[in-house]
Amino acid sequence: MHDFSVGLSAERDVAHVRLTGELDLAASDLFEPVVGQVLWLGVPRVWVELDRLWFCDVAGVRQLVDAYQRWREHGLAVGLHGARSPVRQVFTLTGHGHLLGIPSTDP
């Protein structure tokens, strides 16, 4: 059983994307449409709330990185916030910790 949900709301000039559950390859059918919906809203900023995401594998990180890059290419300011330790670890291991504000440990 797959346990993932994504919520989207807009407040003034910010789109709020809330991810809940497990973000993996199977979740792409739910997540990908929201990426486009954010662009359709025409807001200058998107805030991705990760505090309810308890699992994220490499495919999930790839989805978030792709969304981040797509939104940035369209001129949006993007923030990924509230990641729990297991999610932070996967971002760090895949070299994308900087998107969560995690400093690089590379020399």
Side-chain angles (χ1 to χ4, degrees), residues 10-70:
E11 177 182 300
R12 292 188 181 181
D13 60 352
V14 179
H16 294 272
V17 177
R18 178 174 288 278
L19 305 181
T20 302
E22 303 174 9
L23 181 59
D24 55 19
L25 185 60
S28 64
D29 290 344
L30 296 174
F31 182 64
E32 183 58 33
V34 172
V35 175
Q37 290 171 358
V38 167
L39 296 173
W40 181 81
L41 290 172
V43 296
R45 294 180 297 183
V46 59
W47 181 276
V48 182
E49 302 168 25
L50 304 171
D51 58 315
R52 294 185 183 172
L53 192 65
W54 61 79
F55 175 81
C56 183
D57 66 5
V58 173
V61 169
R62 182 79 253 155
Q63 290 177 68
L64 283 167
V65 169
D66 289 349
Y68 180 93
Q69 291 172 340
R70 185 170 171 199

